[in-house]
Amino acid sequence: MSNVKTEMRSPRLGLRKKLGLGLFAKLYKERVAEHTLRTLFWECTLRCNLDCRHCGSDCKSADVLNAAKKEPEHPDMPLEDFLRTLDTITPHVDPHKVMIVFAGGEVLMRRDLEKAGLAVYRRGYPWGMVTNGMALDAARFDSLLRAGLHSITLSLDGFEEDHIYIRRHPKSFENALRALRLIVAEPSIVYDVVTCVTADSLARMGEFKEFLISEGVKAWRIFTIFPVGRAAEDPKLQLTDAQFTELMEFISATRKEGRIRLDYACEGFLGGWETEVRDNFYHCSAGVTTAGIRIDGAISGCTSIRAAHDQGNIYRDDFMTVWNERFEKFRNRDWTRRGACADCKVWKWCLGNGMHLYDDEGNLLLCHYKRLNP
């Protein structure tokens, strides 16, 4: 995968890093106490033009919907409903400091996306989107830029064979690459490329890194797939513990090269790998500085978090009241100190991992630290 030999062993969690973690833990407590809204995800559609193997949402591809001649279980949220909620938030925040992220499904399935973006922009909020790139051509990209698009995250999961295996569409790589080239060539946009690494694609990450660099990519983020939704049905999507450590080695070595800015996603506490594979110490911002509004109006920490952790609904609750007075399970993580976490020596820094990794019964599905320290 790379020229760096791996010993399959995590770096030691030494005194200096423990001191840093202790300081960061104090800063995180201050953020929890302040609970200032900084990022708001809007799940604006569950329609999609792909049928990805790892999808953890309830979205259905256009082909599946057309074949069944039906609509998704939840239709797109009317733009007016979201804007009405946003207008109740605006008096309580500085809009210029709150990022609105349109998510899905696939956001480009909405024909009124530009209208939505422009309405958010005119209210003073920067806005961005997450896309698979299938429908992003030059004309659509230009119209989004004119609507005030500030940032974009594009999914590209390795070379053609690996990407198509995950995305299950023969043109998914070709179209994503077209989108990538449009994005990289646009100097006004903030962007990153996100890659879901699987057991099959891991071996070629070194080559893929060189490919991205050759395409002019400056910012790259790597995810690993956790076993929820469709991903639970395909063991090929999961890394072994040894492969997970190998991936950490690769990310660390790439960061030291300095040729492309690479980060591991905010997936969980990594022990000695903290600050080696991403800039900041691990923390879960859901319910602390980040909120999400799902397709049915549910208010949660982010759109990746399951319905069992919903805190309210915009159709019956005032968003800011929910934000200020609820989210107890997000902000006080003492409830996670049970089971495997009960006597864990790193819990004070991990706080039980990310909220998206808990099932409906409150059980932790995955511990990154234990994977790296078996």
Side-chain angles (χ1 to χ4, degrees):
M1 182 178 64
S2 71
N3 294 326
V4 177
K5 297 292 184 180
T6 176
E7 297 177 1
M8 297 300 177
R9 182 168 49 195
S10 293
R12 190 171 67 90
L13 192 55
L15 177 60
R16 184 175 180 180
K17 195 159 290 185
K18 287 179 180 178
L19 290 172
L21 283 164
L23 178 60
F24 184 82
K26 291 179 181 178
L27 294 173
Y28 183 71
K29 284 183 180 180
E30 293 177 5
R31 290 184 191 174
V32 171
E34 293 169 357
H35 57 83
T36 302
L37 184 65
R38 294 300 185 197
T39 304
L40 178 62
F41 285 89
W42 177 35
E43 186 179 61
C44 62
T45 184
L46 285 181
R47 292 180 294 139
C48 194
N49 44 21
L50 295 178
D51 190 28
C52 304
R53 294 179 187 274
H54 68 316
C55 184
S57 72
D58 299 317
C59 63
K60 297 288 190 296
S61 71
D63 290 343
V64 170
L65 292 172
N66 291 337
K69 295 184 178 180
K70 64 179 183 179
E71 292 295 316
E73 182 179 352
H74 292 289
D76 293 358
M77 180 184 288
L79 173 59
E80 293 74 19
D81 293 356
F82 175 70
L83 293 178
R84 189 181 306 116
T85 298
L86 193 61
D87 287 340
T88 68
I89 296 171
T90 301
H92 304 278
V93 301
D94 179 347
H96 300 289
K97 296 181 179 180
V98 180
M99 183 71 186
I100 309 296
V101 182
F102 298 167
E106 170 51 46
V107 296
L108 292 174
M109 298 291 285
R110 285 192 69 126
R111 294 183 178 179
D112 65 348
L113 191 63
E114 287 86 347
K115 180 181 178 181
L118 190 57
V120 168
Y121 176 77
R122 285 175 173 169
R123 284 164 169 80
Y125 293 90
W127 70 275
M129 56 184 275
V130 181
T131 180
N132 59 39
M134 275 289 290
L136 189 63
D137 57 18
R140 191 77 196 269
F141 188 46
D142 183 62
S143 68
L144 290 166
L145 291 170
R146 284 187 278 108
L149 179 65
H150 176 79
S151 71
I152 188 166
T153 291
L154 175 71
S155 296
L156 190 61
D157 299 317
F159 289 113
E160 187 167 16
E161 181 180 353
D162 293 317
H163 184 85
I164 290 176
Y165 177 79
I166 291 179
R167 302 292 168 172
R168 297 203 282 200
H169 192 293
K171 291 189 175 181
S172 58
F173 179 82
E174 173 187 334
N175 287 16
L177 183 56
R178 175 190 64 194
L180 174 70
R181 289 169 175 167
L182 289 170
I183 293 165
V184 170
E186 175 51 56
S188 70
I189 204 81
V190 176
Y191 75 91
D192 66 352
V193 173
V194 294
T195 299
C196 292
V197 177
T198 67
D200 285 342
S201 67
L202 176 63
R204 299 193 69 190
M205 277 300 104
E207 295 175 66
F208 189 60
K209 172 192 69 177
E210 297 299 331
F211 169 75
L212 292 178
I213 292 172
S214 72
E215 290 289 338
V217 173
K218 304 298 183 183
W220 185 23
R221 190 157 36 112
I222 280 179
F223 283 82
T224 46
I225 300 170
F226 54 96
V228 169
R230 296 178 199 162
E233 303 168 4
D234 188 348
K236 288 183 67 177
L237 299 179
Q238 310 302 317
L239 300 183
T240 66
D241 291 353
Q243 288 171 330
F244 189 50
T245 300
E246 184 181 353
L247 178 61
M248 295 299 106
E249 290 275 8
F250 167 72
I251 296 173
S252 177
T254 298
R255 286 169 60 86
K256 289 174 182 175
E257 289 176 354
R259 299 164 60 220
I260 186 171
R261 192 174 78 247
L262 174 59
D263 293 285
Y264 182 64
C266 57
E267 285 291 294
F269 182 72
L270 304 172
W273 290 108
E274 290 295 319
T275 68
E276 303 291 326
V277 296
R278 54 190 171 213
D279 293 343
N280 300 309
F281 288 113
Y282 166 74
H283 64 286
C284 182
S285 65
V288 177
T289 59
T290 300
I293 298 174
R294 291 211 309 278
I295 193 75
D296 60 354
I299 302 169
S300 191
C302 78
T303 52
S304 297
I305 296 172
R306 302 296 171 270
H309 303 294
D310 289 351
Q311 301 298 300
N313 193 292
I314 64 168
Y315 292 112
R316 63 173 184 267
D317 301 305
D318 174 69
F319 179 93
M320 289 306 297
T321 299
V322 173
W323 177 252
N324 289 324
E325 298 180 3
R326 301 183 192 176
F327 285 94
E328 174 65 16
K329 291 186 73 175
F330 292 76
R331 294 173 181 152
N332 182 352
R333 303 296 296 278
D334 289 347
W335 63 271
T336 67
R337 196 152 201 177
R338 58 191 179 89
C341 296
D343 301 314
C344 181
K345 62 182 180 181
V346 301
W347 184 90
K348 60 186 174 183
W349 301 312
C350 174
L351 301 179
N353 223 320
M355 285 291 292
H356 66 292
L357 295 173
Y358 283 85
D359 65 16
D360 290 350
E361 286 72 46
N363 300 310
L364 183 62
L365 299 171
L366 185 67
C367 175
H368 294 76
Y369 178 76
K370 290 185 176 178
R371 295 190 71 189
L372 294 166
N373 300 272

